[in-house]
Amino acid sequence: MDAPLLLAKGEGAALVTENGDYVAVRELKEVKKVFWIETKRVWQIAMPIVFNIWCQFGVNSVTSMFVGHLGDIQLSAISLINSVIGTFAFGFMLGMGSATETLCGQAFGAGQVNMLGVYMQRSWVILSVTSILLLPIYIFAGPILKFLGQQEDIADLAGSFSILVIPQFLSLPFNFPTQKFLQAQSKVNIIAWIGLVALILHIGMLWLLIYVLDFGLAGAALAFDITSWGITVAQLVYVVIWCKDGWTGLSWLAFKDIWAFVRLSLASAVMLCLEVWYMMSVIVLAGNLDNALVAVDSLSICMNINGWEAMLFIGVNAAVSVRVSNELGLGHPRAAKYSVYVTVFQSLFLGIFFMAIILATRDYYAIIFTNSEVLHKAVAKLGYLLAVTMVLNSVQPVVSGVAIGGGWQALVAYINIGCYYLFGLPLGFLLGYEANLGVEGLWGGMICGIVIQTLLLLLILYKTNWKKEVEQTTERMRIWGGQDIGVDKIVAST
């Protein structure tokens, strides 16, 4: 097991107690040292993850670019699969895989490295069953898209493409848990390298299959399948060969107490999906406004820009989740708390920075996407809402990452239901339709839901008793992981 980064680097020794946790920080000089140490620790984990996410986004973007040259209908078909079918299934599977992030991170911190492989295998089993249950969405994508009002020829082509990318979807039950297994141990550089190599090879395969072999849309699907399984196999090979502590081979323990793990996985999936689907719903609602084309296109441009920022903070989400889960497992309440505070502060600062950029360029950034003057004006009107969303989306993913690291997924899921779907969505509907504020009303109402959710989560963080969280970590791992971790080991260290 790797030594805690703080001790391994030899920095801030005066700030560390005998058990490796921070002392209580009281002076400004100490605050600066802790701030710098935690900054390095979080971003050393976050940046490779962010880079990998950008590479994954690049795989989708490059595929759309190649397919776009085949024709508009082909581009529309692949866009529908990626944005509707893919987002639904991908979000649910990623959420289910987040349970592995919680347990692996806490087990690694507690020194139970041998259990990481068991948790990963347990997640393989659960996500494999989940993927089979979700397969009808891919098989019947064509009829589903027609039911949602999509053009028949586009829906038919999208349905055919959806069936061809089923192998790609079936790689996710192994991809996500393996990735979380590596992240929990801060082995994130290998994930970034695999992502980069996969992107380069994917571009080559697209050129070969689409243009040289003339496979058309089927070639794009085949490239998707090969790339996704290539990433998965590469991660698995690395785990089996270079992660001997965490991987001890296949084990029947993967099936022990699996229902508790299922409950945590479902809570994780619900928490994440409620967040992902919430912002997607504003585009769906905008499609029913009077000037639907302009509303949807302007929103799509804004969401595209917001998506680039979101990728950065998804990486921060994963990093703070690793930090919190590791420190709770190690029995370091102050390290967990200080890491959260530093990350929230930095994320808020970055969010304000991005907000300033959006406000300064709100009359111009739509030019990147369209030549339409009407859309330029529509996007500029939404600039203020996009700027506010940038700030909120800088803090909210961090808090979600803390929830995953601490195992609070069920609590956050309930908060999301109340703030998003019982308050934000109805308010957006009333402002958009009843008050005739259009897309600004829809988005503004939903932003109100995000504001309340973020404030509630920040209040929970402020009120959190981190020593108690350390004590509860053992019990959570026993219940969810089916393993006695050793209460005395963790609690005594606090």
Side-chain angles (χ1 to χ4, degrees):
M1 176 180 173
D2 296 337
L5 186 57
L6 180 62
L7 299 179
K9 295 293 184 183
E11 295 182 279
L15 298 173
V16 181
T17 62
E18 291 183 359
N19 76 337
D21 197 9
Y22 288 114
V23 298
V25 175
R26 305 185 188 281
E27 299 179 2
L28 180 60
K29 183 179 179 180
E30 294 174 336
V31 171
K32 290 180 179 178
K33 286 184 178 179
V34 170
F35 187 89
W36 175 242
I37 292 169
E38 286 301 322
T39 296
K40 289 197 295 184
R41 297 180 77 176
V42 168
W43 287 100
Q44 282 176 2
I45 301 171
M47 287 314 298
I49 297 175
V50 171
F51 182 78
N52 179 58
I53 293 170
W54 280 339
C55 288
Q56 291 178 356
F57 185 79
V59 168
N60 290 333
S61 297
V62 169
T63 303
S64 296
M65 293 176 190
F66 273 84
V67 171
H69 291 286
L70 296 175
D72 291 342
I73 187 172
Q74 287 87 347
L75 179 59
S76 296
I78 193 174
S79 298
L80 275 176
I81 293 302
N82 287 336
S83 62
V84 180
I85 304 299
T87 299
F88 178 88
F90 185 92
F92 196 84
M93 294 289 285
L94 180 61
M96 292 285 285
S98 295
T100 315
E101 193 170 350
T102 301
L103 287 173
C104 281
Q106 293 182 359
F108 182 75
Q112 299 290 323
V113 186
N114 61 302
M115 287 302 297
L116 268 63
V118 174
Y119 295 150
M120 179 175 64
Q121 293 173 57
R122 197 169 293 172
S123 191
W124 287 349
V125 174
I126 294 171
L127 265 67
S128 294
V129 174
T130 303
S131 67
I132 293 173
L133 295 176
L134 291 176
L135 267 184
I137 297 176
Y138 278 80
I139 296 172
F140 300 106
I144 291 172
L145 292 172
K146 290 178 185 177
F147 176 78
L148 293 175
Q150 299 301 317
Q151 192 173 315
E152 187 169 341
D153 55 346
I154 296 177
D156 286 336
L157 189 59
S160 300
F161 182 79
S162 177
I163 292 175
L164 292 175
V165 295
I166 285 177
Q168 180 265 344
F169 173 65
L170 293 178
S171 72
L172 300 183
F174 303 96
N175 186 324
F176 289 152
T178 309
Q179 190 177 92
K180 302 303 182 185
F181 171 93
L182 294 170
Q183 287 178 8
Q185 304 169 76
S186 299
K187 295 181 178 180
V188 290
N189 289 330
I190 184 62
I191 298 175
W193 279 110
I194 290 173
L196 176 61
V197 172
L199 175 59
I200 295 172
L201 294 178
H202 185 72
I203 294 172
M205 281 190 290
L206 286 172
W207 174 79
L208 175 65
L209 294 170
I210 293 178
Y211 293 135
V212 177
L213 299 179
D214 198 25
F215 284 0
L217 200 61
L222 182 58
F224 254 138
D225 297 338
I226 295 173
T227 298
S228 187
W229 273 105
I231 292 172
T232 302
V233 170
Q235 290 178 170
L236 286 171
V237 169
Y238 182 85
V239 166
V240 172
I241 296 178
W242 285 283
C243 299
K244 296 296 186 182
D245 290 339
W247 175 260
T248 56
L250 297 174
S251 172
W252 287 108
L253 287 174
F255 297 92
K256 180 183 177 183
D257 296 317
I258 198 168
W259 289 114
F261 200 101
V262 169
R263 288 194 294 271
L264 177 61
S265 297
L266 286 173
S268 302
V270 171
M271 183 194 82
L272 183 63
C273 288
L274 288 175
E275 294 171 0
V276 173
W277 298 340
Y278 183 61
M279 291 310 297
M280 284 178 56
S281 62
V282 69
I283 296 180
V284 175
L285 290 173
N288 294 312
L289 292 171
D290 291 337
N291 196 353
L293 182 61
V294 173
V296 171
D297 285 350
S298 59
L299 263 178
S300 297
I301 290 172
C302 290
M303 292 302 173
N304 192 299
I305 295 171
N306 183 58
W308 282 99
E309 186 214 35
M311 284 180 238
L312 171 64
F313 289 108
I314 288 172
V316 178
N317 169 296
V320 75
S321 174
V322 170
R323 290 286 299 115
V324 169
S325 60
N326 282 178
E327 297 299 345
L328 290 179
L330 280 165
H332 296 166
R334 288 199 187 98
K337 179 173 69 174
Y338 293 164
S339 181
V340 170
Y341 287 176
V342 169
T343 308
V344 169
F345 176 82
Q346 291 185 342
S347 298
L348 180 60
F349 176 81
L350 287 172
I352 293 172
F353 173 73
F354 290 132
M355 178 184 72
I357 292 177
I358 291 298
L359 291 176
T361 62
R362 67 187 184 90
D363 293 323
Y364 309 105
Y365 56 75
I367 297 173
I368 302 172
F369 300 91
T370 179
N371 295 321
S372 170
E373 288 294 332
V374 175
L375 277 179
H376 290 174
K377 293 178 181 178
V379 171
K381 286 179 64 178
L382 296 177
Y384 295 107
L385 294 174
L386 177 59
V388 174
T389 303
M390 286 281 191
V391 176
L392 293 173
N393 283 355
S394 66
V395 176
Q396 192 273 341
V398 175
V399 182
S400 294
V402 176
I404 293 172
W408 309 340
Q409 288 94 324
L411 172 63
V412 178
Y414 285 121
I415 292 174
N416 287 349
I417 291 173
C419 295
Y420 289 169
Y421 296 93
L422 298 182
F423 177 74
L425 199 58
L427 179 61
F429 182 85
L430 289 174
L431 293 176
Y433 289 94
E434 300 300 325
N436 294 318
L437 295 178
V439 67
E440 292 98 328
L442 284 174
W443 197 355
M446 297 180 76
I447 284 177
C448 291
I450 299 175
V451 169
I452 294 177
Q453 183 246 23
T454 303
L455 291 176
L456 282 175
L457 292 179
L458 288 174
L459 179 62
I460 290 172
L461 284 183
Y462 178 74
K463 294 287 188 179
T464 296
N465 183 331
W466 291 98
K467 286 188 176 181
K468 187 175 180 181
E469 287 299 317
V470 168
E471 296 171 4
Q472 291 178 344
T473 293
T474 303
E475 181 64 15
R476 287 169 178 157
M477 292 172 68
R478 185 188 66 79
I479 295 173
W480 295 331
Q483 174 81 356
D484 289 328
I485 304 301
V487 176
D488 294 339
K489 173 187 178 299
I490 295 180
V491 176
S493 65
T494 64

Coordinates of all heavy atoms in Angstrom, one line a residue, residues 11 53 64 109-110 148 180 197 253 304 355 388 414 483:
E11 N 6.2 17.1 3.5 CA 5.9 18.5 3.6 C 5.0 18.7 4.8 O 4.2 17.8 5.2 CB 5.1 19.0 2.4 CG 6.0 19.0 1.1 CD 5.2 19.5 -0.1 OE1 4.4 18.7 -0.6 OE2 5.3 20.6 -0.4
I53 N -11.2 12.3 -19.3 CA -12.5 12.7 -19.6 C -12.5 13.5 -20.9 O -13.4 13.2 -21.8 CB -13.2 13.5 -18.5 CG1 -13.4 12.6 -17.2 CG2 -14.5 14.1 -18.9 CD1 -13.8 13.4 -16.0
S64 N -18.4 12.1 -34.4 CA -19.4 13.0 -35.0 C -18.9 13.7 -36.2 O -19.6 13.9 -37.2 CB -20.0 13.9 -33.9 OG -20.6 13.2 -32.9
G109 N -7.9 3.5 2.3 CA -7.4 4.3 3.4 C -7.3 3.5 4.7 O -6.4 3.7 5.5
A110 N -8.2 2.5 4.9 CA -8.2 1.7 6.1 C -7.1 0.6 6.0 O -6.9 -0.2 7.0 CB -9.5 1.1 6.3
L148 N -40.9 9.5 -28.9 CA -40.5 10.8 -28.4 C -40.6 12.0 -29.4 O -40.3 13.1 -29.2 CB -39.0 10.8 -27.9 CG -38.8 9.9 -26.7 CD1 -37.3 9.9 -26.3 CD2 -39.6 10.4 -25.5
K180 N -12.7 3.0 -11.2 CA -12.8 3.4 -9.8 C -11.8 2.7 -8.9 O -11.3 3.3 -8.0 CB -14.2 3.1 -9.3 CG -15.3 3.8 -10.1 CD -15.2 5.3 -10.2 CE -16.4 5.9 -11.0 NZ -16.2 7.3 -11.2
V197 N -4.0 7.2 -25.8 CA -3.7 6.2 -26.8 C -5.0 5.8 -27.5 O -5.1 5.6 -28.7 CB -3.0 5.0 -26.2 CG1 -2.8 3.9 -27.2 CG2 -1.6 5.5 -25.7
L253 N -16.0 -14.2 -2.9 CA -16.4 -13.1 -2.0 C -17.2 -12.0 -2.7 O -17.9 -11.2 -2.1 CB -15.2 -12.5 -1.3 CG -14.6 -13.4 -0.2 CD1 -13.3 -12.7 0.3 CD2 -15.5 -13.6 1.0
N304 N -23.5 23.1 -24.4 CA -22.2 22.6 -24.9 C -21.0 23.3 -24.3 O -20.0 22.7 -23.9 CB -22.1 22.9 -26.5 CG -21.0 22.1 -27.1 OD1 -19.8 22.4 -26.8 ND2 -21.3 21.3 -28.1
M355 N -17.4 32.4 -15.0 CA -18.5 33.3 -15.1 C -18.1 34.6 -15.7 O -18.8 35.2 -16.6 CB -19.1 33.5 -13.7 CG -20.3 34.5 -13.7 SD -21.0 34.9 -12.1 CE -19.6 35.9 -11.5
V388 N -24.3 32.2 -14.3 CA -24.7 31.7 -13.0 C -24.6 30.2 -12.9 O -24.1 29.7 -11.9 CB -26.2 32.1 -12.7 CG1 -26.6 31.5 -11.4 CG2 -26.3 33.7 -12.6
Y414 N -32.3 12.1 -2.0 CA -33.5 12.7 -1.5 C -33.5 14.2 -1.7 O -34.5 14.8 -2.0 CB -33.7 12.3 0.0 CG -34.1 10.9 0.2 CD1 -33.3 10.1 1.0 CD2 -35.3 10.4 -0.4 CE1 -33.7 8.7 1.2 CE2 -35.7 9.1 -0.1 CZ -34.9 8.3 0.6 OH -35.3 7.0 0.8
Q483 N -17.6 -6.8 5.1 CA -16.2 -7.1 5.6 C -16.0 -6.4 6.9 O -16.3 -5.2 7.0 CB -15.2 -6.7 4.6 CG -13.8 -6.8 5.1 CD -13.2 -8.2 4.9 OE1 -13.9 -9.1 4.5 NE2 -12.0 -8.4 5.3

